[in-house]
């Protein structure tokens, strides 16, 4: 009965591990199968160890990048604060209802492996589009390939413009101004602009929301705008400059959130890999022991038969 | 309080309205927020006066200035602190928004402290840019070169104080 026991124990490990890949070769001899299983296990342990090394170093890279991203974000937020205080002082409101198109700008990047941070942006935009009275009256501009792929699925007819090659390096003001100038070339007049981004909160948290940016129309309707003395046609230039700043700030914040998300995603991946390695090692040791037991049983049975 | 504006460049005198909102909002001094995308120089710091290079001429801004929006040309932003010490920055352009709560937001595209400017490098760059302007064939490169020349000239004139370059 002993060989049967060893056999069933081995089968269990095989089907539990490699999804029955080796069960098809059940006709092979016992010893050979044993060796193959052990070898497979060893290979899997090695592969998982390598993956965990990679995720570990990605996590280290992300955490190094995070401190720089956070520093830049703090500065950019101060830069962006002037926008907020201007809108607050002018009492500018987002246009509600009425005619005209709305422009959504989704800020993501090309880089994955950062948990759900790009999906949050695209889902947020999708939900906003669903809530629109007339979804056809909204245009979507996407920064980064990740959200573009998702939003093209959600709302193919709203897609207007997309940018890629973003996210491998920290965003720069130059990038933001290139993007802003492309957006300003769009032929439509928008009643409002909604800039969707991940706002960095802490190394482990971020929230998806709007960055305040208002169109010249909205600005012209602000309660206190007439109190300002404006030189010539400074308003249009101011809007263009503000749009660039807003995009820049949103990109910087999004980058910091993405880096932090990447850090925690890679941390989790490393932990999971560690767990998997532990489990695999246990199974490996157990089946090696089982093989030894089988051989011992064979020897003892042979000896006692004499 | 009446709005107070000092002009050092020629500029048509504007009739300045009494800014009741400004006086009512805050009794305290001028709060400056001065930043470039990569660096924030002043973050809501109280200062006594700021001179900015508006497109129409250099303006001095004091507390309770009338709400004002202006574009900046390449030039010097002078910040006079409460202890009357003066810090000078070179800005390549941007905007200044004076709000009625006596806060002044100066947002520049690029800004550097005068101490960090290498005047020889600026002169060399001006020579390169002037040459590029002379060689420019199409409109775009011409405009780019013109902007470069304008900025480098402004850097040199504002840091050395001389008007001839």
């Amino acid at each position: 009965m002993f060989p049967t026991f060893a056999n069933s124990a081995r089968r269990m490990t095989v089907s539990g591990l490699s999804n029955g890949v080796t069960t098809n070769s059940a006709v092979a001899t016992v010893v050979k199968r044993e060796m193959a299983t052990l070898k497979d296990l060893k290979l899997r342990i090695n592969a998982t160890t390598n993956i965990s090394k990679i995720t570990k170093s990605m996590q280290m890279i992300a955490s190094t990048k995070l401190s720089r991203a956070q520093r830049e974000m703090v500065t950019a937020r101060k830069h962006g604060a002037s926008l907020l205080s201007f809108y607050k002082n002018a009492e500018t409101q987002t246009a509600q209802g009425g005619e005209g198109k709305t422009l959504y700008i989704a800020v993501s990047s090309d880089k994955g492996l950062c948990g759900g941070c790009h999906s949050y942006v695209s889902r947020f935009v999708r939900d906003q589009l669903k809530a629109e009275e007339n979804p056809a009256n909204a245009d979507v501009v996407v920064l980064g390939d990740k959200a573009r792929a998702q939003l093209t699925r959600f709302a193919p007819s709203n897609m207007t413009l997309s940018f890629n090659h973003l996210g491998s390096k920290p965003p720069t003001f130059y990038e933001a101004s290139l993007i802003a100038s492309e957006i300003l070339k769009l032929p439509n007049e928008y009643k409002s602009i909604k800039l969707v981004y991940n706002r960095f909160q802490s190394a482990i948290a971020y929230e998806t929301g709007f960055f305040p940016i208002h169109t010249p129309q909205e600005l012209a309707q602000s309660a206190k705008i007439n109190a300002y003395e404006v030189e010539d046609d400074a308003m249009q230039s101011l809007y263009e400059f503000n749009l660039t700043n807003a995009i820049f700030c949103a990109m910087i914040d999004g980058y910091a959130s993405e880096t932090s998300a990447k850090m925690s995603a890679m941390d989790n991946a490393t932990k999971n890999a560690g767990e998997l390695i532990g489990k695999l090692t246990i199974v490996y040791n157990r089946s090696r022991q089982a093989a030894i037991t089988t051989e011992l049983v064979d020897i003892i049975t042979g000896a006692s038969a004499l | 309080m009446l709005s107070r504006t000092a002009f050092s460049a020629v500029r048509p005198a504007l009739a300045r309205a009494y800014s009741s909102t400004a006086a009512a909002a805050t009794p305290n001094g001028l709060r400056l927020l001065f930043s470039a995308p990569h660096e924030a120089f002043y973050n809501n710091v109280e200062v006594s006066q700021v001179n900015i290079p508006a497109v129409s001429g250099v303006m001095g801004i004091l507390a309770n200035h009338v709400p004002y929006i202006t574009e900046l040309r390449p030039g010097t932003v002078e910040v006079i602190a409460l202890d009357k010490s003066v810090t000078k920055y070179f800005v390549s352009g941007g905007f200044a928004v004076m709000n009625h709560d006596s806060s002044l937001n100066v947002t520049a595209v690029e800004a550097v402290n005068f101490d960090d400017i290498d005047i020889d490098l600026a002169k060399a760059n001006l020579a390169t840019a002037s040459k590029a302007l002379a060689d420019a064939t199409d409109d775009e490169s011409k405009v780019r070169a013109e902007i470069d020349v304008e900025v480098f000239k402004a850097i040199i004139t504002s840091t050395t104080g001389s008007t001839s370059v």
Side-chain angles (χ1 to χ4, degrees):
Chain A
M1 286 313 282
F2 281 119
T4 333
F5 165 70
N7 216 3
S8 70
R10 190 169 57 247
R11 268 219 192 107
M12 208 171 70
T13 58
V14 166
S15 58
L17 273 174
S18 43
N19 298 326
V21 176
T22 39
T23 43
N24 290 340
S25 57
V27 276
T29 62
V30 169
V31 175
K32 267 192 179 166
R33 234 183 341 173
E34 203 61 66
M35 294 297 285
T37 315
L38 280 177
K39 209 179 166 192
D40 282 351
L41 276 170
K42 193 74 199 160
L43 282 176
R44 276 199 80 188
I45 291 173
N46 285 344
T48 320
T49 315
N50 285 340
I51 291 171
S52 84
K53 274 182 194 156
I54 294 170
T55 52
K56 179 78 185 162
S57 44
M58 285 177 87
Q59 187 228 330
M60 303 276 263
I61 293 168
S63 60
T64 329
K65 281 186 175 172
L66 180 64
S67 56
R68 184 184 164 189
Q70 249 178 301
R71 223 174 28 244
E72 283 182 0
M73 184 203 66
V74 169
T75 320
R77 276 200 184 162
K78 283 175 194 155
H79 193 62
S82 62
L83 262 180
L84 306 183
S85 89
F86 172 50
Y87 289 142
K88 199 172 133 244
N89 273 292
E91 294 178 15
T92 311
Q93 304 286 336
T94 306
Q96 299 291 337
E99 289 296 300
K101 287 192 137 198
T102 310
L103 178 67
Y104 285 92
I105 304 174
V107 181
S108 82
S109 85
D110 291 357
K111 300 282 166 183
L113 295 176
C114 54
C117 74
H118 299 311
S119 318
Y120 289 133
V121 170
S122 29
R123 254 185 256 150
F124 194 90
V125 173
R126 180 192 58 179
D127 293 347
Q128 290 290 323
L129 286 176
K130 273 187 188 160
E132 285 275 324
E133 277 171 40
N134 182 6
N137 240 352
D139 282 353
V140 178
V141 171
V142 182
L143 276 54
D145 274 341
K146 288 287 165 188
R148 194 195 57 175
Q150 288 160 336
L151 281 167
T152 317
R153 250 190 343 268
F154 293 151
S157 56
N158 299 100
M159 293 294 286
T160 314
L161 204 60
S162 71
F163 301 88
N164 56 8
H165 291 295
L166 298 166
S168 43
K169 283 185 187 144
T172 61
F173 189 76
Y174 181 62
E175 274 172 359
S177 50
L178 290 180
I179 291 166
S181 62
E182 285 303 315
I183 290 173
L184 289 164
K185 277 185 206 156
L186 291 177
N188 290 321
E189 282 268 319
Y190 296 102
K191 69 168 183 197
S192 63
I193 291 183
K194 290 179 174 172
L195 187 55
V196 180
Y197 76 121
N198 284 322
R199 186 181 166 79
F200 182 88
Q201 283 181 322
S202 73
I204 49 161
Y206 55 88
E207 67 175 348
T208 313
F210 296 124
F211 192 95
I213 173 74
H214 294 290
T215 56
Q217 280 183 38
E218 286 173 327
L219 210 50
Q221 285 160 6
S222 323
K224 294 268 175 69
I225 194 69
N226 291 331
Y228 286 88
E229 264 185 48
V230 185
E231 269 181 13
D232 307 329
D233 53 351
M235 274 332 243
Q236 182 61 28
S237 317
L238 180 66
Y239 160 64
E240 292 174 8
F241 187 60
N242 281 348
L243 181 66
T244 312
N245 281 334
I247 290 174
F248 173 69
C249 293
M251 281 168 76
I252 285 271
D253 240 283
Y255 181 75
S257 317
E258 188 191 314
T259 316
S260 74
K262 184 170 282 173
M263 198 181 78
S264 43
M266 288 301 112
D267 191 31
N268 283 339
T270 314
K271 269 187 207 149
N272 290 344
E275 253 172 53
L276 190 59
I277 291 169
K279 277 183 192 160
L280 282 173
T281 314
I282 289 171
V283 174
Y284 174 79
N285 289 343
R286 207 177 271 163
S287 31
R288 197 190 51 173
Q289 193 57 54
I292 294 167
T293 315
T294 317
E295 276 173 30
L296 277 177
V297 164
D298 281 352
I299 294 164
I300 293 163
T301 324
S304 58
L306 284 173
Chain B
M1 192 179 287
L2 278 170
S3 60
R4 289 164 290 175
T5 310
F7 295 100
S8 67
V10 184
R11 175 162 195 221
L14 285 171
R16 258 147 223 292
Y18 177 81
S19 174
S20 56
T21 44
T26 41
N28 43 7
L30 180 67
R31 280 176 296 114
L32 175 66
L33 199 160
F34 176 27
S35 67
H38 61 92
E39 196 170 355
F41 300 98
Y42 292 83
N43 188 22
N44 257 331
V45 179
E46 202 168 309
V47 294
S48 67
Q49 188 188 337
V50 183
N51 297 335
I52 55 165
V55 274
S56 53
V58 177
M59 298 173 65
I61 292 183
L62 297 166
N64 299 326
H65 189 282
V66 70
Y68 200 83
I69 299 170
T70 182
E71 199 173 339
L72 304 179
R73 60 178 168 74
T76 318
V77 169
E78 269 180 304
V79 181
I80 301 161
L82 291 177
D83 60 2
K84 302 293 168 202
S85 63
V86 179
T87 320
K88 290 183 177 182
Y89 297 89
F90 180 81
V91 295
S92 64
F95 271 88
V97 176
M98 178 72 205
N99 292 315
H100 61 68
D101 63 357
S102 204
S103 64
L104 172 68
N105 302 330
V106 180
T107 38
V109 178
E110 275 298 333
V112 277
N113 195 317
F114 265 22
D115 302 338
D116 302 334
I117 291 176
D118 181 349
I119 191 75
D120 296 326
L121 190 62
K123 279 179 180 158
N125 284 341
L126 175 62
T128 323
S130 310
K131 192 173 174 298
L133 180 60
D135 295 347
T137 45
D138 57 311
D139 280 352
E140 196 188 324
S141 52
K142 200 176 165 200
V143 170
R144 278 174 191 276
E146 268 174 7
I147 294 171
D148 282 354
V149 169
E150 189 190 359
V151 171
F152 288 122
K153 266 189 186 166
I155 289 179
I156 294 162
T157 48
S158 50
T159 44
T160 56
S162 69
T163 45
S164 59
V165 177

